[in-house]
Amino acid sequence: MAAHIGSSARSRSKFELYMWFFTRVSGVLMLVLGAYSIIYANLIGGPGMMDAAAQTRWAFFPISFHVTASKVEVEPNFQNAFWQFYGLLLFLLAATHGTNGIRVILKDYVRQPVLLAWLNALLFIVWLSMLGAAVYLLFVAQGVS
Amino acid sequence: MSKLARVTLSQFLTYRGGQPMLAWLLHRIAGIGIVLFVGMHVLAAFFLYGVTGGTANTVANALTEFYESRPMQIFILFAVLYHGINGLRIVVLDMWPGLHRFHREAMWLQWAVFLPIFLIPAFLIALGIKIG
Amino acid sequence: MKVKVKVRRFNPEKDHRPYWGEYQLEAQPTDRVLDLLVYIKGYIDGTLTFRRSCAHGICGSDAMVINGRNRLACKELVKDVGRTIVIEPLRGLPVIKDLAVDMEPFFRKYRSILPFLINDEPPPYTERLQSPEARERFDDTTKCILCAACTTSCPSFWANDSYLGPAAIVQAHRFIFDDRDRGAQARLAILAEADGVWRCRTIYNCVDACPREIDITRAIGEVKKLLLVE
Amino acid sequence: MIHRFDVIVVGAGGAGLMAALYASRGAKTAVISKLYPTRSHTGTAQGGIGAALGNMEEDHPEWHIFDTIKGSDYLADQDAVKILCEEAVGMVYELEHMGLPFDRTPDGRIAQRPFGGHTNNVTKQPVRRACHAADRTGHMILQTVYQQCIKNNVTFFDEYQVLDLLVNDEGHVAGVTAIHIDSGELHTFYGKATIFATGGFGRLWKITSNAYALTGDGVAVAFRRGIPLEDMEFYQFHPTGILGLGILLTEGVRGEGGVLINGEGERFMPRYAPTVKDLASRDVVSRAIYLEVRAGRGIGGKDYVYLDVRPETVNKYFVEDGVKNPDGTPRRITAQDIRRKLPDISDFCKTYLQLDPIKSPLPIQPTAHYAMGGIPTNNNAEVVIDAQGTVMPGFYAAGECACVSVHGANRLGTNSLVDILVFGRRAGQNAAIYAAQADWPRLPAAAEEPARAALAAIRNGTGREVVAQIRAEMRSLMMDNVGVFRTEALLSEALARLRDLKECFSRISIMDKGKRWNTELLEAWELGCMLDLAEVTTVAALTRTESRGAHFREDFPERDDVNWLKHSLAYLEADGQIRMDTKPVTLGLYEPARRVY
């Protein structure tokens, strides 16, 4: 009944602000990166050398595996340090954007704090493993093929 | 006291929100779909290249078969394009709050951009037509 | 014209679960939905329970779900809602009885955002000066009548009632953008928390639900933007 | 359950919240309200709060005093009016300091608009005195004062309905009995000082601007406990209510230039008030509308007229009247101005009339609006129980439920907001001072029993009468017989039928026998209050054989200062009869004069 005025002991964490902003920036950046990949694919390979599926795959994610079935020269056009780091950046953005999205959804719907904490921990591990797998694929697996 | 506070799924679904509520729902479904797809894809690739060194791998095969199926391809295309274009609408409105006034128009604009970009490739995938 | 009114009934004293009450009555096209409820209570079933007061959209008592949307029963006319009218209590607040919900959680959030002018500077003998432009800056959010239609239309709020909700943010906006106020930092700190503005997903249900036509999402957007540039 | 507080405030509208805000600074204070505070009817006040700030043009509190006294038809107590108008200025500044978002002039001061009956005493022309926040001034006042109560941690008991006033054998008020609407349990609020700020009772009439909640509970409860009611025959009908619904269209519409038009397309107010025309005081305008309708000049011969605020109409009459801006340029308005200054009015018209005020004239009829009478108080907001001004210890009243009297026979537009704040503040301050030095009054034994019995009688009633039916009949009866025009025949008939209805009321039954949120029970109880007040109003109207302000007797069409320049007091006798008495009017500033606008 009596009014409770907000306690002064509030945490002033800016985490949510940063994640909110990151989501927006990364989203736009991914669109830009995707657009650049598909433009590059068309400049290099052209519609004559790659089918639509290959172009789409490349646009979504520039890793040489995605164009190996095409008639274009994969090396050096599509397999070099630039595209490796480009891919890493894209994956970092995508994985973080996506993981944060799942975190937000969990925060919305999971009401038990303990369960939420466990799920968040699990999510963090998945995020790290995904990054690990991506680094391996981009720099090790792709390198040996 | 705290009776009937929780909103049930049917209450959720029977609320007649506008288009933006549908957009939000699709955005979430698409987002979860992308996360699952990317997760499967990375896992499959990791099994294929990391575990069996590029040769056939049962786990990778099963996953690949699933997400390369035609409906999944269309769904992924939908998810990525919808999530991307809808996301762009939200980013624009977030950065210029004055534009919220035009949020209804923004929805129509979004459909106008999304539908052709999505439908043409989806149609081609559905018919199994390859270009190039 | 004949209309059918279906009301989601629930009396915790005797019902285990809610049920639908159906009433047929004669109505004029220009009758308010509230008039129908008042008629039902007066002449058909006195146990029907709902809140009402001013009956013209200012007091904010009679927000409810009418044909699937949050509306004030006193601002909806029969001719606009059709011959079958389905009425439910607001979603996301505990139902006390029939269409009356417990508003306390809602008002608790309102109180948490420091909803009062904060300015410890000694005021002048007469009024503080404020330009018409500065006054216009927060005009939209001064219209809020705390009916809870916005907050209870918000899927983010339904999912998790720890979210402050649109109404509380609108009320905070009214002070943050008032150039006489000095409490913006304190309020922004509250709104920047995990349960603050970031739970807004720009779904616009609140804008559609607001009987005062406040551009709520814009207000929330302005708060987000302010937090970002700070 | 017993709650102990130094000061108990009943009602959380403008007066109650203001009283609570001030009382809580010096005393442990509780506010009891049957609605959430922000639902209170203060929130629907539209046009403005009158205060002679002189921001737009020359103005003085003395002019405001004179206008109020003249508006009251010289029945207001002039010392009280002086307090009202002089404190109004500081009150508006205080509201501004509390954060109220008044509209502003280009140089940043509080903007003001003309209102009915507010004039420049020298030129006799309308003066801009109503300080406004668009057309939701009351909403902003209610919110702002509630915000201050939150800031000051005032204790609220929301959705508790007061059923009884506790008066002990020494005649001291010891608190109230209230029902917690949610649980259905009775609670005793035991206090040293009790402030009633329970609002009016417009629901007595069929066409009213008043909320469903305005059933006069507080006034009726006090009356049943032996407190007389003052000036109950004076009930104001606001001229411009939306046809059929009674929803108010503020006088600010006419303040911005709107005019009243009859069925012949004629602007008729100049015939009734040659100087201020459409901005005459409310009783004058309401009567003028009825006279037009009676003469067959309603729209299409029906019982309503138009309020026309279309820019072309307004500007036409601005030219005709030579209306000027403060800087001397001819005054004009645009559609834009109307939308900006009267947004809620535009919204009401669109919602309920499907009309855009910029494009169409608006069908209006007078609507029951405001009770000038009520619980008699002195200038300290202490309740007085006889013509000699004997104070009832521990009992205060403020706002519409009280009669100081600052409104006399007719309230001036904007003065209700001034009244609730100025006298709400006085009630709070004085109650806190009283509580600090008074001993705890003896709590009557079995304090809750009368309320419990009253509810039980309704709950257990097995008759066949229907509450809604009786209520509808009473409201039609009051509208037809105890409205703007009254005669002995109409009033006597009303009295007889009201007594029949009271008889019917004793034979009601209700369907809801539950405890929680039993609003059917409470509505029935409220009907009992309304029937009591309807009877008092009718008896008082029968007794006053003159016409003054809002009380117009066709059989006594002239004001009679010789016999009736006095307040009426209505007492409830032990046998249930109503006894009428009078008390003198405090003059001293302005001698009664003929009232022309």
Side-chain angles (χ1 to χ4, degrees):
Chain A
M1 264 161 261
H4 292 286
I5 292 175
S7 70
S8 55
R10 285 178 180 274
S11 66
R12 297 204 168 215
S13 156
K14 290 198 160 181
F15 179 72
E16 293 290 338
L17 165 63
Y18 294 142
M19 288 321 292
W20 180 84
F21 188 58
F22 170 79
T23 301
R24 272 128 193 93
V25 170
S26 61
V28 173
L29 217 52
M30 283 188 286
L31 287 174
V32 171
L33 293 174
Y36 179 73
S37 331
I38 200 160
I39 290 167
Y40 178 80
N42 279 285
L43 287 176
I44 292 297
M49 313 278 275
M50 294 158 77
D51 64 9
Q55 288 205 24
T56 314
R57 283 201 296 272
W58 176 258
F60 282 176
F61 193 68
I63 185 167
S64 63
F65 304 149
H66 274 164
V67 288
T68 42
S70 305
K71 288 177 264 179
V72 288
E73 290 291 331
V74 171
E75 221 174 345
N77 291 330
F78 293 95
Q79 193 179 356
N80 53 41
F82 173 76
W83 285 112
Q84 276 176 326
F85 281 101
Y86 194 98
L88 183 67
L89 174 64
L90 192 51
F91 191 82
L92 195 67
L93 293 176
T96 313
H97 184 110
T99 307
N100 182 58
I102 300 295
R103 181 187 70 85
V104 163
I105 293 176
L106 291 177
K107 200 162 166 9
D108 271 1
Y109 293 100
V110 179
R111 287 157 191 249
Q112 292 109 307
V114 181
L115 179 63
L116 183 62
W118 278 108
L119 287 173
N120 276 333
L122 184 68
L123 196 62
F124 185 71
I125 292 166
V126 169
W127 176 67
L128 275 184
S129 328
M130 295 273 280
L131 283 185
V135 168
Y136 174 82
L137 288 167
L138 281 164
F139 292 96
V140 183
Q142 187 177 227
V144 298
S145 71
Chain B
M1 188 68 123
S2 65
K3 277 196 168 142
L4 306 184
R6 192 68 55 89
V7 177
T8 63
L9 184 64
S10 84
Q11 283 182 317
F12 177 101
L13 292 174
T14 52
Y15 190 88
R16 284 169 59 206
Q19 279 201 44
M21 183 176 164
L22 176 70
W24 163 78
L25 200 57
L26 290 176
H27 192 81
R28 282 220 157 161
I29 292 168
I32 295 169
I34 295 168
V35 166
L36 291 178
F37 167 78
V38 170
M40 278 191 284
H41 196 29
V42 171
L43 200 62
F46 186 75
F47 269 92
L48 187 63
Y49 296 101
V51 178
T52 49
T55 58
N57 174 290
T58 39
V59 178
N61 284 353
L63 287 171
T64 311
E65 201 171 312
F66 173 69
Y67 67 67
E68 281 192 353
S69 68
R70 222 171 267 175
M72 274 308 286
Q73 290 294 300
I74 293 176
F75 172 72
I76 291 307
L77 186 72
F78 167 83
V80 172
L81 288 176
Y82 193 86
H83 198 88
I85 292 170
N86 190 54
L88 202 57
R89 172 182 67 96
I90 291 169
V91 172
V92 169
L93 289 169
D94 277 343
M95 291 304 124
W96 292 278
L99 294 178
H100 279 296
R101 177 156 36 117
F102 302 111
H103 76 265
R104 287 179 189 84
E105 290 79 358
M107 281 310 306
W108 294 115
L109 183 67
Q110 181 186 328
W111 284 118
V113 173
F114 168 76
L115 284 177
I117 297 185
F118 167 66
L119 282 181
I120 295 167
F123 191 62
L124 297 178
I125 297 172
L127 294 180
I129 298 172
K130 288 196 177 185
I131 308 176
Chain C
M1 62 194 270
K2 275 245 177 293
V3 293
K4 184 165 89 177
V5 181
K6 280 180 73 180
V7 184
R8 189 82 164 158
R9 304 290 308 268
F10 178 70
N11 178 356
E13 285 178 296
K14 39 180 226 205
D15 303 327
H16 290 293
R17 57 184 59 209
Y19 63 97
W20 290 100
E22 281 199 29
Y23 312 91
Q24 307 272 354
L25 56 153
E26 192 63 34
Q28 297 296 314
T30 51
D31 279 347
R32 294 164 278 198
V33 170
L34 180 63
D35 297 330
L36 306 185
L37 291 174
V38 168
Y39 183 85
I40 293 169
K41 185 173 182 65
Y43 295 99
I44 302 176
D45 185 348
T47 63
L48 180 66
T49 301
F50 53 92
R51 288 194 182 92
R52 81 284 180 274
S53 190
C54 81
H56 64 286
I58 298 298
C59 78
S61 297
D62 59 348
M64 49 188 75
V65 185
I66 298 173
N67 286 353
R69 290 181 182 144
N70 280 9
R71 291 291 184 265
L72 294 184
C74 59
K75 283 196 88 175
E76 288 297 283
L77 302 189
V78 168
K79 68 184 179 57
D80 299 323
V81 291
R83 281 157 191 274
T84 301
I85 303 161
V86 183
I87 304 176
E88 302 158 77
L90 293 175
R91 288 159 161 77
L93 292 172
V95 175
I96 296 175
K97 187 176 173 187
D98 295 342
L99 300 172
V101 295
D102 182 7
M103 299 292 286
E104 201 43 42
F106 174 80
F107 278 104
R108 207 176 299 131
K109 289 187 173 123
Y110 165 68
R111 291 193 295 259
S112 75
I113 53 92
L114 315 178
F116 37 80
L117 192 86
I118 299 173
N119 187 332
D120 295 332
E121 299 157 22
Y125 177 68
T126 63
E127 70 265 55
R128 293 189 193 92
L129 297 182
Q130 181 174 48
S131 71
E133 296 72 34
R135 166 65 182 78
E136 182 63 25
R137 183 71 191 81
F138 62 99
D139 184 67
D140 200 33
T141 41
T142 64
K143 294 184 207 157
C144 174
I145 55 174
L146 293 164
C147 67
C150 57
T151 296
T152 58
S153 75
C154 176
S156 285
F157 176 75
W158 298 339
N160 199 319
D161 59 11
S162 59
Y163 174 35
L164 275 177
I169 302 173
V170 160
Q171 289 286 347
H173 177 283
R174 175 251 172 276
F175 289 102
I176 291 169
F177 289 90
D178 186 336
D179 66 353
R180 299 170 297 169
D181 184 79
R182 302 286 176 268
Q185 288 311 320
R187 275 185 212 99
L188 287 172
I190 296 164
L191 296 176
E193 307 237 333
D195 292 326
V197 289
W198 313 117
R199 277 202 191 274
C200 167
R201 321 272 184 231
T202 54
I203 303 168
Y204 296 100
N205 275 4
C206 54
V207 180
D208 173 68
C210 180
R212 306 284 290 152
E213 290 173 10
I214 300 170
D215 205 343
I216 300 172
T217 310
R218 175 185 181 162
I220 299 176
E222 285 174 351
V223 173
K224 286 176 182 167
K225 187 84 183 287
L226 190 63
L227 280 168
L228 188 62
V229 298
E230 286 261 317
Chain D
M1 195 189 290
I2 296 185
H3 308 267
R4 284 170 77 111
F5 286 91
D6 294 334
V7 176
I8 294 162
V9 181
V10 182
L17 292 175
M18 201 67 192
L21 185 59
Y22 272 87
S24 65
R25 289 175 184 170
K28 192 181 167 209
T29 302
V31 184
I32 305 167
S33 169
K34 68 174 176 177
L35 306 168
Y36 277 102
T38 56
R39 315 295 185 224
S40 303
H41 206 55
T42 297
T44 63
Q46 297 167 357
I49 171 167
L53 309 184
N55 281 358
M56 316 292 282
E57 57 195 303
E58 185 187 0
D59 197 7
H60 306 282
E62 293 71 35
W63 293 359
H64 190 185
I65 294 170
F66 173 75
D67 289 340
T68 302
I69 291 169
K70 181 183 172 190
S72 80
D73 224 346
Y74 298 90
L75 192 69
D77 290 318
Q78 301 193 356
D79 54 341
V81 175
K82 188 164 189 287
I83 290 169
L84 182 86
C85 300
E86 285 177 350
E87 292 190 8
V89 176
M91 197 73 243
V92 167
Y93 291 142
E94 183 175 346
L95 286 174
E96 197 283 333
H97 298 157
M98 287 176 180
L100 197 139
F102 283 109
D103 288 351
R104 299 289 172 156
T105 63
D107 57 352
R109 313 188 68 183
I110 294 170
Q112 297 179 280
R113 62 160 63 119
F115 238 71
H118 292 277
T119 61
N120 175 315
N121 285 187
V122 179
T123 65
K124 305 294 174 196
Q125 289 299 315
V127 72
R128 288 157 220 231
R129 189 178 289 149
C131 311
H132 56 91
D135 51 0
R136 49 175 186 279
T137 314
H139 164 79
M140 295 320 321
I141 288 175
L142 183 66
Q143 296 242 332
T144 302
V145 183
Y146 182 52
Q147 289 157 3
Q148 293 300 312
C149 286
I150 290 174
K151 187 179 180 183
N152 287 286
N153 269 311
V154 175
T155 305
F156 282 95
F157 291 86
D158 296 332
E159 298 189 328
Y160 281 70
Q161 185 159 353
V162 166
L163 301 173
D164 196 7
L165 179 71
L166 304 178
V167 183
N168 64 21
D169 295 339
E170 294 87 55
H172 289 233
V173 169
V176 293
T177 307
I179 182 172
H180 180 212
I181 298 175
D182 188 13
S183 67
E185 299 292 341
L186 290 180
H187 291 239
T188 296
F189 289 86
Y190 177 34
K192 292 182 182 173
T194 301
I195 303 174
F196 265 26
T198 55
F201 41 87
R203 283 276 142 187
L204 260 57
W205 285 269
K206 185 176 176 202
I207 303 293
T208 178
S209 65
N210 281 201
Y212 278 101
L214 293 186
T215 51
D217 309 1
V219 181
V221 159
F223 182 59
R224 290 166 181 177
R225 283 288 173 190
I227 291 120
L229 300 181
E230 182 175 343
D231 289 345
M232 289 295 283
E233 62 273 36
F234 298 105
Y235 197 90
Q236 180 173 75
F237 282 72
H238 192 291
T240 57
I242 290 180
L243 178 65
L245 294 169
I247 296 167
L248 200 67
L249 298 179
T250 171
E251 216 160 292
V253 174
R254 280 171 286 141
E256 297 298 343
V259 291
L260 294 166
I261 304 283
N262 66 17
E264 292 168 2
E266 175 208 9
R267 180 193 188 190
F268 56 85
M269 277 313 294
R271 280 195 275 116
Y272 300 90
T275 315
V276 294
K277 304 183 178 85
D278 296 272
L279 284 170
S281 76
R282 289 174 177 171
D283 55 333
V284 175
V285 182
S286 288
R287 268 197 298 280
I289 293 171
Y290 270 112
L291 289 173
E292 289 298 302
V293 167
R294 274 200 193 172
R297 291 192 294 270
I299 304 299
K302 298 212 189 73
D303 62 346
Y304 64 95
V305 297
Y306 280 141
L307 171 62
D308 195 340
V309 68
R310 291 175 296 179
E312 59 267 31
T313 314
V314 172
N315 286 329
K316 183 177 115 193
Y317 289 112
F318 275 169
V319 173
E320 224 166 75
D321 297 351
V323 179
K324 298 256 192 312
N325 287 321
D327 60 6
T329 54
R331 189 163 164 215
R332 295 290 175 270
I333 62 162
T334 61
Q336 183 75 31
D337 294 334
I338 292 169
R339 278 191 221 286
R340 206 184 65 245
K341 291 184 172 173
L342 302 167
D344 281 6
I345 296 302
S346 303
D347 183 41
F348 297 151
C349 295
K350 278 179 194 154
T351 305
Y352 300 111
L353 294 167
Q354 293 80 51
L355 291 175
D356 183 347
I358 289 157
K359 300 199 182 101
S360 324
L362 311 165
I364 55 103
Q365 71 182 131
T367 179
H369 185 56
Y370 187 87
M372 270 72 73
I375 303 168
T377 69
N378 60 23
N379 293 344
N380 295 325
E382 296 165 308
V383 173
V384 294
I385 48 171
D386 56 26
Q388 290 72 45
T390 308
V391 168
M392 187 172 202
F395 195 29
Y396 297 78
E400 190 176 346
C401 73
C403 179
V404 185
S405 142
V406 287
H407 308 307
N410 171 64
R411 173 173 72 77
L412 225 49
T414 77
N415 272 359
S416 62
L417 292 175
V418 188
D419 178 15
I420 57 174
L421 298 169
V422 166
F423 287 96
R425 176 168 68 183
R426 284 176 162 250
Q429 285 169 335
N430 291 321
I433 292 168
Y434 173 83
Q437 43 89 11
D439 293 328
W440 281 89
R442 204 180 50 75
L443 189 65
E448 291 173 3
E449 279 322 303
R452 200 182 305 281
L455 291 185
I458 297 170
R459 199 194 296 268
N460 303 330
T462 53
R464 310 198 52 170
E465 298 292 342
V466 177
V467 169
Q469 191 79 46
I470 299 173
R471 191 169 52 209
E473 280 178 33
M474 173 199 72
R475 297 181 65 200
S476 292
L477 178 67
M478 291 299 284
M479 198 73 200
D480 295 340
N481 291 29
V482 198
V484 171
F485 289 101
R486 299 159 174 184
T487 64
E488 166 137 27
L490 285 174
L491 293 168
S492 304
E493 186 203 355
L495 194 56
R497 284 181 55 198
L498 279 170
R499 286 178 177 155
D500 286 348
L501 288 174
K502 284 184 105 165
E503 163 63 19
C504 290
F505 180 69
S506 65
R507 285 182 273 114
I508 56 165
S509 65
I510 58 171
M511 296 170 72
D512 196 339
K513 308 288 184 192
K515 291 197 82 167
R516 294 194 68 186
W517 260 88
N518 191 340
T519 49
E520 189 187 18
L521 175 70
L522 293 173
E523 281 184 18
W525 181 82
E526 288 170 345
L527 176 60
C529 293
M530 289 196 285
L531 286 167
D532 284 359
L533 296 182
E535 189 182 0
V536 180
T537 302
T538 310
V539 171
L542 256 175
T543 309
R544 186 176 285 269
T545 50
E546 65 154 352
S547 290
R548 182 185 296 272
H551 173 68
F552 193 87
R553 287 281 299 260
E554 287 185 277
D555 39 2
F556 298 95
E558 295 301 320
R559 197 172 82 192
D560 177 0
D561 285 339
V562 178
N563 295 305
W564 281 112
L565 185 58
K566 47 195 170 191
H567 300 291
S568 71
L569 286 176
Y571 293 83
L572 183 66
E573 297 289 275
D575 60 357
Q577 295 298 307
I578 294 165
R579 174 172 64 85
M580 296 303 299
D581 192 7
T582 59
K583 80 172 187 185
V585 175
T586 310
L587 299 171
L589 295 173
Y590 298 97
E591 280 308 305
R594 221 169 80 76
R595 182 162 164 260
V596 282
Y597 283 98

